[in-house]
Amino acid sequence: MVSVWEFLKGDRNSVDSGGQFKVTLTKSQPQHALTGAAATTGNLYVNLHWTTRTVERPGAGGALRRRFDLRNLRPMAPEAFDTAPVSVDLDLACMYELADGSRGVVQPLGGLFGDLARPPYIKLSGDDVYGAPSGETMYVNLEKKDQFRRLLIFVYIYDDTPAFDRTHATVTIVPPSGPRIEIKLDERAAAARSCAVVLIENAGDNQLTVRREVRYVHGFQSDLDRLYGFGMQWQRGYKRPSGPAA
């Protein structure tokens, strides 16, 4: 066995401890099934990791130098540019519908970090605002699989930060056994503020189906809710200063 962190920090093209390659969900291959122990024992780990792009901006005197260089059609000197980091705060979240019909959300906004031992049997480890190597991780208690009807894993951009086209983001799902599952958010959606990443549904017979969605919306949680029909009431939420204790 290897730890979840070893899964995530390792070579993404290598095999896992069970000799299984990773599974990358794409438009042409959007679905994967978790069966047996992978669907019914231990915890399912869902990790969001992202890095921010850099943007070029003219350096000191760049505009003036460009004005003179254009006369001779010469390229602008490389030192006239520098790179500016872009701050992006992505949040990992989950809308859930349980077998008894109850519905809700696990997310940093409002401090709704969930619980593994009690409904909804989903817990968010904390809130990473800078895109640290470990990212954000959510745990799903597979011992309570029969209590789940569907889980919508989604990502949203908090507050007034730039959009998804400023990031390289990946959601990785690590089951207790078998290959890890990767979903890349590599479509450039400049105006989007939220993205439905993957839908996990209870198919019965000790099986969970994991289906790639990667559907971007310009709005927030309420817009994703309308898209998938959870039927919840939403209001403005705010983050607490820090995430829950480990």
Side-chain angles (χ1 to χ4, degrees), residues 9-241:
K9 75 176 182 178
D11 181 357
R12 294 186 180 273
N13 292 317
S14 65
V15 297
D16 66 18
S17 60
Q20 298 286 337
F21 284 95
K22 72 178 182 184
V23 173
T24 300
L25 299 186
T26 63
K27 286 183 178 180
S28 59
Q29 295 181 322
Q31 192 161 300
H32 181 75
L34 300 179
T35 59
T40 58
T41 61
N43 293 328
L44 185 72
Y45 299 86
V46 182
N47 178 267
L48 166 67
H49 173 258
W50 75 95
T51 56
T52 57
R53 298 183 176 203
T54 56
V55 293
E56 283 191 340
R57 64 185 181 188
L64 183 61
R65 186 181 298 124
R66 181 168 59 250
R67 182 180 304 170
F68 285 105
D69 286 347
L70 284 176
R71 294 184 306 174
N72 299 317
L73 300 180
R74 292 200 308 269
M76 192 171 176
E79 62 270 15
F81 287 97
D82 61 5
T83 56
V86 177
S87 176
V88 180
D89 182 8
L90 298 184
D91 281 340
L92 179 66
C94 175
M95 291 185 199
Y96 60 84
E97 180 180 2
L98 301 183
D100 64 3
S102 59
R103 304 171 186 185
V105 64
V106 174
Q107 63 177 14
L109 281 179
L112 302 173
F113 289 96
D115 195 303
L116 271 180
R118 294 184 294 273
Y121 308 112
I122 305 164
K123 184 174 180 61
L124 187 64
S125 63
D127 180 23
D128 169 28
V129 299
Y130 299 111
S134 58
E136 294 185 4
T137 300
M138 183 179 294
Y139 306 87
V140 179
N141 185 351
L142 295 179
E143 305 286 347
K144 301 293 184 179
K145 178 188 76 77
D146 292 341
Q147 301 297 316
F148 300 135
R149 185 170 293 168
R150 57 174 175 158
L151 310 176
L152 178 66
I153 306 298
F154 67 98
V155 174
Y156 63 91
I157 296 177
Y158 179 68
D159 206 11
D160 295 323
T161 50
F164 283 98
D165 61 343
R166 305 291 184 91
T167 68
H168 298 283
T170 301
V171 171
T172 305
I173 299 174
V174 184
S177 63
R180 66 182 184 266
I181 303 165
E182 285 190 355
I183 305 97
K184 295 183 181 297
L185 308 186
D186 52 6
E187 298 176 20
R188 302 274 68 86
R193 303 304 298 261
S194 306
C195 179
V197 180
V198 65
L199 187 66
I200 301 174
E201 295 180 293
N202 189 340
D205 297 325
N206 290 331
Q207 177 174 302
L208 295 175
T209 60
V210 181
R211 189 178 75 223
R212 177 189 185 273
E213 297 291 312
V214 190
R215 300 175 70 177
Y216 294 92
V217 299
H218 291 182
F220 295 94
Q221 288 89 329
S222 59
D223 299 277
L224 285 175
D225 185 329
R226 284 191 291 271
L227 189 62
Y228 286 89
F230 281 85
M232 293 184 283
Q233 299 295 319
W234 297 89
Q235 61 185 6
R236 179 69 176 173
Y238 300 92
K239 289 188 179 183
R240 294 177 180 177

